Amino acid sequence: MNRFLAVVRREALEPMEGAAFWVAGAVLAVLAHLTFFLVGVPFGARPFPGLFASGFASLDIAFAWAPTILAGLVPALTMGAWAEERRSGTEELLLTWPVSTLALVAGKFCGRLLSLVVLLLAVYLPMVAVVRWLGPLDLGTVFAASVGLLWMSAACVAIATLVSACTRDQLVAFLVSTLALLALLGLGLLARIAPGDLAERLWSASPQAHFLETGARGLVDTGDFVHGAGIVALCLGLTWVKIERRRVG
């Protein structure tokens, strides 16, 4: 357990030592606050203005934009998780640690997720404070949405970590991860034009069905947890296979 926690601590602190973490955090802060206070959601079935225009004490806008923001933020935080280890040659040293491959994979995942949570808290807590100051805020809804966001963040980190394990180039890991997460977001859009059963399958796999229509509205659905846990388990399992092959090879 101590060795596992050492991996988590290493992976949580490592991104903070690089410029990517702070650049990603600054971009996240600008985009999140710009969309929340000024832009709002000007498209879709339920468009609504930014907080200043609406004057309505709600965090709906912030959570509506969260999946799109994560699609750019998560790859920036995870692109070096395995890719930089391979490029710099430190992966060989890491794999000699007296730690199981599963612990290494899980530790890297948990560490990168923890660094993401730190950024999200730093950006979204001020929004909560502003809305709470403007009017009554349903903290139950905020809590449910935050839990849903955490599960979605975990799924995104697992996907991006798997991509990082498949290459030694951080830029490639960033681009492929971003495309993969954007494609996942696109499933909800494709579901609107796909026929019959295909539309249902696409919708059931999309973040729209498992966050925007549930958690973001303050609803707790066990299906969301199953969906997120399934993605995390699949991606971490594939990452484990990839790293274990390199370890024994």
Side-chain angles (χ1 to χ4, degrees):
M1 178 59 71
N2 289 336
R3 292 167 180 171
F4 168 74
L5 293 177
V7 176
V8 173
R9 184 168 57 252
R10 174 181 184 267
E11 292 303 314
L13 294 176
E14 185 174 307
M16 299 181 189
E17 297 174 354
F21 180 87
W22 302 107
V23 171
V27 171
L28 167 66
V30 171
L31 291 178
H33 287 264
L34 180 65
T35 54
F36 180 65
F37 289 106
L38 299 176
V39 178
V41 181
F43 50 81
R46 295 180 292 112
F48 42 89
L51 182 69
F52 289 154
S54 67
F56 185 64
S58 170
L59 290 168
D60 290 350
I61 300 170
F63 289 119
W65 279 102
T68 305
I69 291 174
L70 286 177
L73 175 64
V74 171
L77 295 180
T78 59
M79 61 184 180
W82 290 103
E84 179 59 21
E85 300 275 15
R86 294 185 68 190
R87 188 199 65 79
S88 63
T90 56
E91 184 183 74
E92 295 181 3
L93 177 62
L94 180 65
L95 295 181
T96 62
W97 283 19
V99 183
S100 69
T101 304
L102 180 60
L104 288 174
V105 171
K108 277 186 172 287
F109 164 76
C110 292
R112 300 290 164 148
L113 179 60
L114 182 58
S115 65
L116 174 62
V117 169
V118 170
L119 273 181
L120 293 177
L121 286 174
V123 172
Y124 284 103
L125 281 180
M127 294 183 186
V128 175
V130 169
V131 174
R132 190 91 187 270
W133 176 71
L134 290 176
L137 179 64
D138 186 347
L139 295 181
T141 298
V142 173
F143 176 77
S146 299
V147 172
L149 180 60
L150 177 62
W151 277 101
M152 185 172 61
S153 299
C156 291
V157 170
I159 292 171
T161 302
L162 171 60
V163 173
S164 181
C166 295
T167 180
R168 63 175 67 245
D169 190 315
Q170 290 195 66
L171 179 59
V172 171
F174 174 81
L175 294 175
V176 174
S177 298
T178 302
L179 290 175
L181 295 179
L182 289 176
L184 189 63
L185 284 176
L187 293 179
L189 299 177
L190 291 176
R192 297 178 181 177
I193 60 176
D197 292 341
L198 178 59
E200 293 183 9
R201 293 193 182 98
L202 290 174
W203 179 255
S204 65
S206 69
Q208 287 89 335
H210 294 286
F211 177 68
L212 294 179
E213 297 298 323
T214 54
R217 295 186 179 184
L219 304 175
V220 178
D221 189 337
T222 55
D224 299 345
F225 297 102
V226 173
H227 177 261
I231 293 177
V232 170
L234 175 62
C235 292
L236 293 189
L238 292 175
T239 303
W240 175 83
V241 171
K242 192 75 177 176
I243 301 304
E244 182 67 13
R245 285 180 177 175
R246 293 208 288 264
R247 191 172 203 172
V248 300

